[in-house]
Amino acid sequence: MCNAPIMDIKDSCSVILTAYHSFTPSRIPVMEQSLEPQLSQTTGHSPLNRKVCYQRMDRMISQDSLHPPSFSRSVSQESLDSASMEDYWSEVKSIEESAENRQDEHAVLEVKSADEGELEEAWLQEAGLSTLVSGSPREEPAEALFSTLTRTQAAVVKKRIDNYTQMQRKKKPVRDVRDIFAVENSPPGVCPGAGSPNSAPLAPKLFFRTTGRLESCASNCKLSKDSPSLPEELNFDVPYSECALRKDCRSIQRIKKDDATFPKFLIRKAKLGLTVVGDLSQEDMKKIGYISLIELTAYFDALGIELKRNRTVKSKVRDYGLFGVPLTTLLENDQKKFPGSKVPLIFKKLLCKLEQTGLQTEGILRVPGSASRVKSLRQELEEKFYEDTFEWDLVRHNDAAGLLKMFIRELPYPLLTVEYLPAFIAVENISPSKLQLQALHLLIMLLPEPNRDTLKALLEFLSKVVDNEEKNRMSLWNVSMIVAPNLFMCKGKTANPQEMQDAAGAAHVVRLLVKHQDILWTVPCFMISQVRKMNEAAMNKKHQASDKSKKKLLRRWNAEREKTERSELYDIPEGVIRVHAPLHAKVSMAIQLDNETKARDVMARFDCENSSGSRGSVRRQKQYLYEVGGNIGERCLDPETYLLDLYHVNPQCEWILKPRTT
């Protein structure tokens, strides 16, 4: 395979994303002559006239964006027409041919841009601030959320509320932003909270609380150029928006095909341990979503990227079958047979088939299967899958890969979601890779649970494909070239060939997703800290409300007295925790903590104490230490967590040893 040249991409920090627009020659310049033959072969005959097709979410492309002197995206002719892009264009052609052969079409998903008022309202609702729209004080913990925001995050929320208030004032009365963000009286002619151009935005007086750790932001967030040799450390303690500067993304990113030069990252160790997505309760993950949306908006604003969301005009979709069915519907149907399913069964089965027999097949994913066989297999699966009569042994590897990609493409709502697909595409316009990774990190936290779990299953499979590169000849770059068009294209109108010039950037984003998935599925420490503060604020508010009732106050006093009596009975001194292990022979144990005690030490001690008397069936299932209650719902602890530090952060929690929830 020939060596691909370096691809130069100069990223724009002033790009404006739109939902989509019609192709007009005046907006999109003619491409280089050397590209025309290649693209004509890719697109085939009159793609604009096809009834059923797929598109990559459109982006406004201007003359300046393709031929800029500075501060914008630039893709060289050499990089676009190189042999390294051949896999991408071949996959696009295969997708279009597959779409042509489909005659049974369901309703096409219609994606439109929403007006500014709808966007602001949707943003406030998804950020957990729906009370500001509905006026109901009980729907979302808005005040608790406000109490955790950093100065940058608070400024973003205030800006959104300002915009929404101005647009809705003529329609109907809404809560004034000054009712939410109480600020000092401003001088005449100065907007409250605006300040001077060089000053920081004013924080909400009532609910804003500054976090002390931001003082070291400058020293912790120094950006360096992508280095293929030394891994760069990522700090999860500081919100990304507090460190991002517009000038940081105005640099040339050199995308290379060689995977050996791909940037490496590692996570800075945390005293309280690292937390992956599945380790938190659903209620706390919901709050993570609120914080992630606010943080993502602040982060993009800091980098100078304006993000336009899409609005989905929902049409009738299938509520039965396997292909072309929404993820949520598939999971509802699957859970009737297999409770607790998080990834659609058909998707898991296709991945399992490929993992068992196809990982070492040369060209897996790249070499297409027979179109007629794939079509026949699809029909047979629809009829026999849930009856367990489908013969998987007869399915060829390349046909299974074709079914897998078809499943992803034919989801009525994209795997990366209609709402956030423009944001994933916008990541291409950020440089260096560290900033791209941070943006992707926030987006993964924002995805709905079915989408996030399905995407993780896909990325884990792709990682296994890359691990077998010596036999299947599929490098990380090859895999990304094949997967990118399947992820970044969705049902809708035809994509213009000119809009595919960002193929290298899209593949680079997929490479980041595959290579750094463990990092991306780790919940940032600063978000967990904010969730703890939200829970504390909510508890304080409940206590204040209960104090108004003498009856409730008496109950609380009795509960506290009983708690004190139990504490005296056990005589538990400071720094001693009692760990409960209901599935072990020894169900409880008091443990004295010191500065070096880790969660793995407690787990090992229980294993040692119960080695002789534990039940055999339980012994085979690994047990993990959890913190439950206090200022967190539930969290499975990283074995490297320092327990004394956690004890000081959450002294009211219970300590439970149990199997990890899958």
Side-chain angles (χ1 to χ4, degrees):
M1 187 174 292
C2 63
N3 294 326
I6 294 174
M7 297 177 217
D8 294 342
I9 292 185
K10 184 178 291 183
D11 294 333
S12 169
C13 296
S14 58
V15 64
I16 297 178
L17 301 178
T18 59
Y20 68 74
H21 60 282
S22 300
F23 166 67
T24 55
S26 61
R27 299 183 71 87
I28 303 180
V30 179
M31 299 169 57
E32 288 86 346
Q33 186 176 0
S34 62
L35 278 175
E36 292 176 359
Q38 184 178 1
L39 291 174
S40 63
Q41 294 175 6
T42 301
T43 55
H45 300 289
S46 303
L48 291 173
N49 296 327
R50 291 182 183 143
K51 179 180 177 181
V52 181
C53 49
Y54 298 87
Q55 77 163 38
R56 187 166 181 265
M57 303 299 288
D58 295 350
R59 146 186 349 199
M60 182 178 294
I61 303 179
S62 64
Q63 284 282 356
D64 292 338
S65 67
L66 291 179
H67 304 285
S70 61
F71 299 155
S72 58
R73 193 176 188 86
S74 173
V75 183
S76 67
Q77 174 182 343
E78 181 184 18
S79 65
L80 283 174
D81 61 3
S82 65
S84 62
M85 304 302 298
E86 183 177 344
D87 288 342
Y88 187 97
W89 301 118
S90 297
E91 185 67 15
V92 171
K93 183 178 180 180
S94 176
I95 291 172
E96 291 181 339
E97 291 174 349
S98 175
E100 278 186 327
N101 293 330
R102 296 287 296 150
Q103 301 295 332
D104 57 325
E105 283 333 315
H106 318 295
V108 175
L109 180 67
E110 185 179 359
V111 181
K112 292 184 177 180
S113 58
D115 62 45
E116 196 169 353
E118 292 175 332
L119 290 174
E120 300 296 355
E121 181 177 354
W123 189 94
L124 290 170
Q125 290 177 343
E126 292 181 26
L129 305 174
S130 60
T131 54
L132 308 183
V133 178
S134 64
S136 172
R138 296 185 178 181
E139 290 184 11
E140 301 291 350
E143 293 187 10
L145 178 58
F146 284 142
S147 68
T148 73
L149 300 182
T150 66
R151 186 174 297 272
T152 306
Q153 293 170 348
V156 166
V157 174
K158 182 179 182 300
K159 177 182 176 182
R160 292 282 179 164
I161 299 175
D162 275 332
N163 293 342
Y164 179 76
T165 302
Q166 291 173 5
M167 286 178 289
Q168 296 295 318
R169 189 162 287 161
K170 295 181 180 180
K171 298 180 181 180
K172 59 182 180 179
V174 296
R175 297 178 67 183
D176 192 277
V177 66
R178 289 168 293 186
D179 297 335
I180 311 302
F181 292 97
V183 296
E184 302 294 340
N185 293 332
S186 303
V190 178
C191 176
S196 64
N198 297 324
S199 63
L202 294 177
K205 181 179 179 181
L206 294 179
F207 307 118
F208 176 73
R209 186 164 57 185
T210 305
T211 54
R213 63 173 179 270
L214 297 182
E215 296 176 358
S216 59
C217 175
S219 60
N220 289 333
C221 301
K222 293 180 179 179
L223 295 174
S224 62
K225 297 180 179 179
D226 294 339
S227 172
S229 55
L230 298 176
E232 186 173 0
E233 189 177 61
L234 300 175
N235 182 11
F236 285 176
D237 293 330
V238 181
Y240 302 148
S241 60
E242 297 295 324
C243 308
L245 297 174
R246 185 170 302 196
K247 65 180 181 179
D248 291 336
C249 69
R250 294 178 176 177
S251 58
I252 297 177
Q253 180 177 357
R254 302 175 68 84
I255 296 181
K256 301 179 181 180
K257 174 186 173 182
D258 185 7
D259 294 335
T261 64
F262 199 59
K264 302 178 181 64
F265 300 97
L266 57 86
I267 304 174
R268 178 181 297 180
K269 296 295 183 181
K271 283 280 190 177
L272 301 184
L274 300 177
T275 305
V276 298
V277 169
D279 290 345
L280 287 176
S281 65
Q282 288 188 349
E283 191 61 31
D284 284 341
M285 278 306 302
K286 187 177 181 181
K287 296 168 186 173
I288 291 291
Y290 299 153
I291 298 168
S292 298
L293 180 55
I294 297 173
E295 173 64 12
L296 178 71
T297 308
Y299 186 68
F300 273 61
D301 283 357
L303 295 179
I305 298 178
E306 183 180 358
L307 180 62
K308 295 289 186 180
R309 289 164 53 92
N310 289 316
R311 176 171 62 92
T312 304
V313 180
K314 293 185 179 181
S315 54
K316 187 176 180 180
V317 296
R318 298 180 68 192
D319 57 0
Y320 63 92
L322 302 175
F323 294 82
V325 180
L327 285 177
T328 52
T329 303
L330 282 170
L331 288 174
E332 288 174 2
N333 296 335
D334 291 346
Q335 288 169 358
K336 295 176 183 177
K337 189 173 183 180
F338 297 97
S341 298
K342 293 186 176 182
V343 177
L345 294 178
I346 179 61
F347 193 74
K348 290 178 64 177
K349 189 62 181 178
L350 287 170
L351 294 177
C352 183
K353 169 65 179 177
L354 289 168
E355 288 179 8
Q356 289 176 350
T357 60
L359 288 179
Q360 298 182 357
T361 301
E362 184 171 346
I364 191 66
L365 296 178
R366 180 177 60 217
V367 179
S370 167
S372 59
R373 283 200 309 267
V374 170
K375 182 179 180 179
S376 176
L377 288 169
R378 170 186 170 142
Q379 294 174 349
E380 191 175 354
L381 277 168
E382 294 279 9
E383 297 171 0
K384 300 181 179 180
F385 178 74
Y386 283 115
E387 297 177 358
D388 293 331
T389 58
F390 184 80
E391 298 184 20
W392 287 98
D393 293 339
L394 302 180
V395 179
R396 303 184 184 184
H397 307 145
N398 294 331
D399 292 341
L403 288 168
L404 178 71
K405 293 185 288 184
M406 179 184 291
F407 176 88
I408 297 171
R409 291 194 309 271
E410 295 203 1
L411 287 172
Y413 308 111
L415 185 59
L416 300 180
T417 73
V418 171
E419 294 80 7
Y420 299 120
L421 194 52
F424 277 96
I425 294 174
V427 172
E428 301 172 21
N429 299 318
I430 302 174
S431 178
S433 293
K434 178 178 179 179
L435 295 183
Q436 289 182 313
L437 194 66
Q438 290 174 337
L440 289 174
H441 198 179
L442 298 174
L443 284 166
I444 294 300
M445 295 296 110
L446 268 174
L447 286 179
E449 185 176 356
N451 299 66
R452 185 170 54 230
D453 291 340
T454 304
L455 178 62
K456 187 63 166 68
L458 173 64
L459 296 179
E460 288 176 346
F461 164 71
L462 297 179
S463 181
K464 294 175 183 177
V465 172
V466 175
D467 290 341
N468 287 269
E469 178 185 356
E470 290 186 2
K471 293 187 177 181
N472 60 34
R473 305 297 182 185
M474 293 295 291
S475 66
L476 179 58
W477 176 260
N478 297 137
V479 169
S480 301
M481 281 283 107
I482 298 300
V483 174
N486 290 280
L487 278 181
F488 289 101
M489 298 171 73
C490 71
K491 284 189 174 183
K493 73 180 188 67
T494 306
N496 296 308
Q498 290 85 347
E499 293 169 353
M500 291 300 179
Q501 291 187 82
D502 298 319
H508 182 66
V509 170
V510 175
R511 279 206 298 178
L512 287 171
L513 289 171
V514 175
K515 185 68 175 180
H516 301 300
Q517 55 184 284
D518 291 340
I519 293 176
L520 296 174
W521 262 258
T522 301
V523 183
C525 298
F526 70 84
M527 288 190 183
I528 296 179
S529 177
Q530 288 183 280
V531 168
R532 291 185 188 276
K533 292 175 183 177
M534 283 184 67
N535 292 335
E536 289 171 355
M539 286 189 296
N540 291 336
K541 188 175 181 180
K542 288 181 180 179
H543 290 329
Q544 292 173 2
S546 65
D547 288 343
K548 297 178 181 179
S549 171
K550 292 182 179 180
K551 198 171 189 179
K552 291 182 180 179
L553 181 62
L554 182 60
R555 290 177 182 174
R556 181 183 172 192
W557 180 79
N558 288 333
E560 291 178 350
R561 185 181 65 178
E562 291 176 2
K563 184 177 180 180
T564 302
E565 290 175 352
R566 287 197 301 268
S567 178
E568 292 175 353
L569 178 64
Y570 287 109
D571 192 24
I572 300 178
E574 181 74 13
V576 174
I577 62 173
R578 180 163 290 278
V579 179
H580 301 277
L583 298 181
H584 277 264
K586 190 170 184 178
V587 298
S588 180
M589 185 186 303
I591 297 178
Q592 174 69 57
L593 303 179
D594 57 38
N595 292 329
E596 300 300 323
T597 306
K598 295 182 179 180
R600 60 178 169 84
D601 299 326
V602 174
M603 295 160 57
R605 183 168 177 180
F606 264 90
D607 287 340
C608 180
E609 292 285 344
N610 292 276
S611 58
S612 58
S614 61
R615 306 164 193 169
S617 59
V618 176
R619 282 279 298 170
R620 289 192 294 269
Q621 194 171 12
K622 189 172 179 61
Q623 307 270 312
Y624 292 87
L625 185 61
Y626 282 75
E627 59 164 324
V628 181
N631 55 29
I632 203 77
E634 179 178 282
R635 183 171 79 107
C636 180
L637 299 184
D638 178 358
E640 298 302 313
T641 301
Y642 286 87
L643 296 185
L644 187 59
D645 293 85
L646 180 57
Y647 172 82
H648 291 145
V649 170
N650 191 9
Q652 302 300 323
C653 74
E654 295 183 355
W655 308 83
I656 300 177
L657 200 68
K658 62 179 183 177
R660 172 175 278 162
T661 304
T662 56

